[in-house]
Structure formats: structure tokens, C-alpha cells
Amino acid sequence: KGAGEQSLDLVAFKMIRVNADPIKQSLMDTALHLRGRLLAQMMEDTHDKNHYICERYHDIQERLQTEATNAEELDALKKFLASSTAELATLEGTIGESSAVFDVLSEAHFTIEAEDSNMLWETASWPKIMAVVLRESEQRQQKGRVAFQDELRRDQTLLYDELEAISAVTEGFAELGDIDQYEDRLMAIQDIEERLNVAKEQAELYNSREELFGQKPTDYPQLSLVQKSFDPYANLWKACAEFLRSKPQWMDGPFTNLDAEQIESDMETWYRGTLKTMKQLKGPPLEVATILKDRLQDFQQYIPLIIALRNPGLRDRHWDKLTDKIGIKVKADASFSVTRALQLNLNDHLAAIEEVSEYASKEFGLEKTLALMQDAWGDTCFEYITWRETGTYILKAFDETQVLLDDQIVKTQSMRSSPYIGAFEEQVKTWNSKLSLIQEIMDEWMKCQAGWLYLEPIFGSEDIMQQMPAEGRLFKVVDTMWRKIMAKLEVTSEVLIVGAEEEL
């Protein structure tokens, strides 16, 4: 309005007089419109900001008014309170900015809606509300700290009592014997183990809570003492249960289900563990350990027989050979068992059985080597590329294939000289012939390719074909054959398949 009053409505020149009132009014209307939009945007932005401030205050209030149910939650609440201090200061500063915007809007006679006004007053009231919330939260935390410290002391007392009870039960094992009661003993052992694990977890929890309260962690020497005195009994009765449960399955179960290596490993573990445990025991437990040691030793005499008969390399020809050697028809199939082997007195023929088994192992080793060599060619292919504008292909260098081929030719020749090759000598010969053929094909193929690459540009010229018709016809024969062979690589390029191609 002031600008309108200060400017002229009519402007006089020498020959004309200009009426400026319409343009003045238009400019004033535009300015007032933009001013209104700017003030409205300021109001909208401030409302959104105040809404966010109220939400954050509400979230912080809700979190601080949470009742901690344990020391960990109390510590988390304490850390949240500390971390919220900076944010609360920022929020309070933002409230001041909002109030300043409202002052500007009021001076500009901007119409402030009741919703915006209420939001401002709600926002402005939060610092006082939060001061009360902070004070009450600190009071609750202090009370909680005292209560949880008292609870911790009570829990530690209960833990001491539990350790004393476990110790008493553990001492009772010193009077327990009778190896045939291993199932009951094992159940008692497992119960104590579970109680000890719980006690360890509680001790760790209580130590962590002491650290939260700024206290020195308590040592629980009784826990390690109980564990130390308990371990020999636990190891003894576990070994008894594991061996005595396994033995019937080993003796009478299907022989084909036996894992000889695992049996040997388990027996070694139990035997060594029992010898070690015997040094820590006395009375009835020592008697049990002695009985277990004797039973383990008694079973160990069967392990060489089990290992020999469970040899994965044994085939029908070996069983026949074994039958001829010992004069007893035997084959360790699913109907066979260790008990049956003892009934046949096979342990008396262990040397002969081990000899046949060893021979079978050597053959099996060669058989596996041959199978691995054949499997190694599974993904090996001839690689080829399009050659210029000829419409056909040429082979890429096959360095990796050549390395594999050279290695296998050497291995195959070594296998043929082995004294254990007899059973599958024909297979090895066939494989050796195949490798040799592939080598020959690769050599000739590369020679042919070199010649074709040299001649193709020459006889690709019509002038040369006219000058040398006889030679051109011969090249055409070779070129047709070359293209036919290379086209087959599109169907399959696997070395073993291509190498068996009779036409090559």
C-alpha cells in the first residue's frame, strides 16, 4: 500500500500523459499473492516441523517411561537417556525457531488456523513435560538399580546353593559301580551336565550384570572344582554307554552297515580315554573302568578282521580267492556279521584274509585312478572359432587338453606295468588306445589345419583356380572334408566323443 501511495497514478510527458494506475494495481496484486503463498508455505513447513517435534518428544517419553524388568533393560534405558540429551536440546532449539516464525506470521496479519495454533502450543509445552519425565525416569532408574542389585545378590546366593547341591550329587558317583547300570548312570550324568551348563550361563550373566553396576566380577571357584571332579565320572559312563550300545550292533548287525574306520577311531578314543580316566578314579568307579578297559581290549582283537573284510575294494573274485585260500566259503554281505565271522573262526585265518584284502586294495586303487582319469574328460571340449569370411571354423590352441592328455598317457602306461592290473587289464589297454588315438588325431588335425589355412586364401581366388584347375580340384576335396568335420563340432565338441569318430 505504501508503495502504491508513493508512486504516481498519472505520468506527464511533453506530448502525452500515461495512466500508471492499472499496472500499479496489477503489480500490487501479484506481490500480495506471492506474499500470501510465501506465508502459507512458512505456516505449512512450521506445522510439519512441529508435528515431527511432538512425535519425537512422545517417542522419547514413551521409552523413558518404560519399566525395566532386569538389569540389562535398565542399562539400555540409562544409555537411551544419555543419548537423548543432545536430541532434546536440538528439539528445544527448533521449538524456538517455530515460535519466531509464528511471530513473523502474526506481524504480517496472516490468518493462523486453530489447528496450527494448537500444534504450536502443544509443541511449546513439551520441554516442561519432558523435564518431569526425565526426573521421574532418573528416579525409577535409581530405584531399579537398588532393586536389581538386591536381586543379583539373591540370585548369586541361589547359585552358590545350586553348586553345593551339584557337588553333593557328584561326590555320590564315587560310590557308584556296576557297569550294567550304565543307562541309569548316563541319565544322571546328563542331568548334572544340564545343571552345570545352566550354572555356567548364570555365572556369566551375573558377572555381566556386576559390570553393568560397576562392580568387580565375582569368581565362582566352586564351579570349576565341581566340573573338575565331575568330568572323570562323566567320561567313564559316557564311554560305557557309547561302547555297550554300539557293540551289539557291531557284532550282530548287517556287516555291510559297519564303518570300519569309524569303529577303529571310536575304539581308540574310548580306550585312551578310559586309561586316562582310570588314573583319576578309585573304588567302584575304578572297578567299572577296569571292566570297560578289558571289554574294549577284548573287542579290539576283532578290528583287524573287520577292517580287512569291510574293504570297499573286495569283489566277487576276491571272495572266491579267499574261499580257496582258507577253505571256508565266506562273503561279507548284508546277511553276514562279526558274530558269524567268529563262528567260522575267521580270526584264525586273519593273515590270509589281510593278504587278499591288501591285494584288493591295490586293485581298487588302480580302479579308482582309472575312473578319475575318465571323469576328468567330462567337461573337456575342443574349442573353435569362426575363421574370417570362410563360413567355417578353425581349432583354437588346446594347451590344457594337451597337458591332461600327456599326464594321463604317462599314468596309463605306469598302470599297465603294475602287478595288480590283471583284473582290468583290458580296460586299461582300451583306455590307453583311446588316449593314443586322441593324441594322433590332435596332431594330424593341427597339421591339416595349418595346410588348409595356407591354401584356402590361394584357392579361394577364381583366377588361381583357372590357372591351376587340377590342384584346385584336389583342394576342393580337402576343403569339403574340412568343412564337414568342423561342422560336426557344432553338434558336439567333447574330446572323448570327437576322438572316437571313425571318420576322423
Side-chain angles (χ1 to χ4, degrees):
K1 183 179 179 181
E5 293 175 350
Q6 292 176 12
S7 60
L8 299 174
D9 292 334
L10 294 172
V11 180
F13 294 93
K14 289 184 179 181
M15 299 183 63
I16 60 173
R17 186 173 62 176
V18 178
N19 183 3
D21 184 62
I23 189 65
K24 283 173 55 180
Q25 189 61 45
S26 175
L27 291 172
M28 288 174 61
D29 291 344
T30 300
L32 289 172
H33 175 69
L34 293 174
R35 174 179 178 272
R37 288 182 60 184
L38 178 61
L39 294 175
Q41 186 63 50
M42 290 173 63
M43 184 71 260
E44 183 179 347
D45 292 345
T46 303
H47 179 88
D48 292 343
K49 186 184 296 183
N50 288 341
H51 181 71
Y52 170 76
I53 292 171
C54 290
E55 282 188 337
R56 286 302 302 140
Y57 269 114
H58 181 268
D59 291 343
I60 294 172
Q61 177 192 39
E62 191 176 59
R63 180 72 178 88
L64 291 176
Q65 288 179 338
T66 302
E67 290 285 348
T69 60
N70 54 50
E72 288 73 27
E73 291 181 4
L74 182 67
D75 183 66
L77 198 58
K78 177 183 176 183
K79 290 177 179 177
F80 178 78
L81 177 59
S83 66
S84 299
T85 303
E87 183 179 4
L88 289 172
T90 301
L91 291 174
E92 192 165 349
T94 307
I95 293 174
E97 295 173 2
S98 297
S99 298
V101 171
F102 264 74
D103 291 341
V104 171
L105 294 175
S106 297
E107 291 176 4
H109 303 291
F110 181 81
T111 302
I112 299 175
E113 301 294 337
E115 180 183 358
D116 297 324
S117 180
N118 292 337
M119 178 64 72
L120 174 65
W121 288 113
E122 180 183 354
T123 305
S125 66
W126 267 112
K128 291 184 179 180
I129 296 173
M130 190 54 62
V132 176
V133 171
L134 290 172
R135 185 169 61 253
E136 291 176 348
S137 179
E138 289 174 350
Q139 292 173 352
R140 279 195 302 274
Q141 289 181 38
Q142 186 59 36
K143 291 180 180 178
R145 180 182 179 86
V146 173
F148 290 134
Q149 284 178 322
D150 291 340
E151 180 184 63
L152 176 59
R153 285 189 287 270
R154 291 193 298 270
D155 289 340
Q156 288 175 317
T157 299
L158 293 175
L159 177 57
Y160 288 130
D161 293 342
E162 172 66 1
L163 291 175
E164 288 294 335
I166 295 175
S167 178
V169 176
T170 301
E171 291 173 0
F173 272 94
E175 304 300 325
L176 297 179
D178 191 355
I179 193 171
D180 293 331
Q181 298 298 317
Y182 67 89
E183 290 288 0
D184 292 339
R185 306 288 188 257
L186 182 62
M187 290 179 60
I189 289 292
Q190 291 171 339
D191 178 64
I192 294 177
E193 281 185 330
E194 185 175 348
R195 292 171 67 180
L196 278 173
N197 288 333
V198 171
K200 289 176 185 177
E201 292 174 358
Q202 289 177 334
E204 292 173 359
L205 176 63
Y206 300 159
N207 283 340
S208 69
R209 288 179 175 176
E210 286 174 320
E211 291 179 2
L212 294 179
F213 295 134
Q215 302 172 359
K216 182 179 178 181
T218 300
D219 290 328
Y220 299 95
Q222 185 69 7
L223 184 58
S224 58
L225 291 174
V226 171
Q227 186 70 60
K228 184 177 180 180
S229 63
F230 170 70
D231 283 344
Y233 304 118
N235 294 335
L236 170 63
W237 290 110
K238 283 182 181 179
C240 285
E242 291 171 358
F243 172 64
L244 295 176
R245 285 174 176 176
S246 300
K247 184 180 177 182
Q249 300 174 15
W250 295 345
M251 294 296 293
D252 301 313
F255 199 80
T256 51
N257 291 347
L258 299 185
D259 184 337
E261 292 184 0
Q262 187 62 52
I263 292 174
E264 184 179 29
S265 175
D266 289 344
M267 287 294 295
E268 182 68 18
T269 299
W270 296 331
Y271 188 73
R272 288 181 178 274
T274 301
L275 291 180
K276 181 179 178 180
T277 301
M278 289 176 68
K279 300 175 183 179
Q280 304 169 290
L281 299 174
K282 59 183 179 180
L286 179 57
E287 295 174 3
V288 172
T290 302
I291 295 172
L292 176 61
K293 179 188 68 112
D294 293 340
R295 292 189 183 183
L296 289 170
Q297 286 179 324
D298 183 60
F299 188 83
Q300 280 178 326
Q301 64 180 312
Y302 309 140
I303 292 180
L305 181 64
I306 294 173
I307 293 174
L309 293 177
R310 278 295 293 141
N311 186 339
L314 288 169
R315 301 289 185 265
D316 287 340
R317 63 181 180 274
H318 301 119
W319 295 116
D320 293 340
K321 185 177 180 180
L322 181 59
T323 298
D324 293 339
K325 267 184 171 291
I326 65 176
I328 301 173
K329 185 170 180 58
V330 58
K331 183 176 182 180
D333 53 20
S335 63
F336 194 71
S337 67
V338 175
T339 298
R340 178 58 180 159
L342 298 180
Q343 291 171 349
L344 295 173
N345 296 318
L346 294 187
N347 237 10
D348 297 340
H349 305 282
L350 181 59
I353 293 173
E354 288 182 328
E355 180 184 345
V356 174
S357 181
E358 178 66 18
Y359 195 92
S361 295
K362 298 294 185 181
E363 288 187 344
F364 187 53
L366 293 175
E367 188 177 356
K368 287 196 298 182
T369 300
L370 180 60
L372 289 173
M373 286 196 295
Q374 293 171 339
D375 290 343
W377 290 94
D379 298 325
T380 305
C381 298
F382 286 117
E383 297 183 9
Y384 56 93
I385 57 174
T386 302
W387 182 245
R388 296 180 181 175
E389 302 300 325
T390 62
T392 187
Y393 311 98
I394 64 170
L395 289 173
K396 294 176 66 176
F398 31 63
D399 296 340
E400 292 183 6
T401 303
Q402 187 63 61
V403 170
L404 177 62
L405 187 60
D406 291 341
D407 178 63
Q408 291 207 4
I409 288 175
V410 172
K411 285 183 178 178
T412 304
Q413 291 172 348
S414 176
M415 289 173 64
R416 292 186 65 184
S417 63
S418 171
Y420 305 100
I421 196 64
F424 40 90
E425 184 174 5
E426 287 303 317
Q427 291 177 259
V428 175
K429 281 184 179 180
T430 301
W431 182 247
N432 185 63
S433 298
K434 192 178 193 70
L435 295 178
S436 299
L437 178 60
I438 291 173
Q439 180 66 76
E440 184 179 357
I441 288 173
M442 287 169 56
D443 292 342
E444 295 302 322
W445 205 337
M446 293 307 291
K447 289 178 184 178
C448 182
Q449 177 167 291
W452 183 86
L453 287 173
Y454 174 73
L455 294 174
E456 193 280 331
I458 296 174
F459 290 102
S461 169
E462 289 296 329
D463 292 340
I464 298 297
M465 290 292 288
Q466 290 177 4
Q467 295 173 21
M468 306 173 65
E471 290 84 353
R473 285 193 295 273
L474 291 174
F475 175 75
K476 279 295 183 181
V477 173
V478 174
D479 183 65
T480 301
M481 182 66 71
W482 176 263
R483 292 173 183 273
K484 183 178 179 182
I485 291 172
M486 297 307 294
K488 289 183 178 181
L489 291 181
E490 290 186 285
V491 179
T492 178
S493 59
E494 293 183 24
V495 174
L496 290 184
I497 297 177
V498 175
E501 176 65 48
E502 293 183 3
E503 191 174 355
L504 277 179

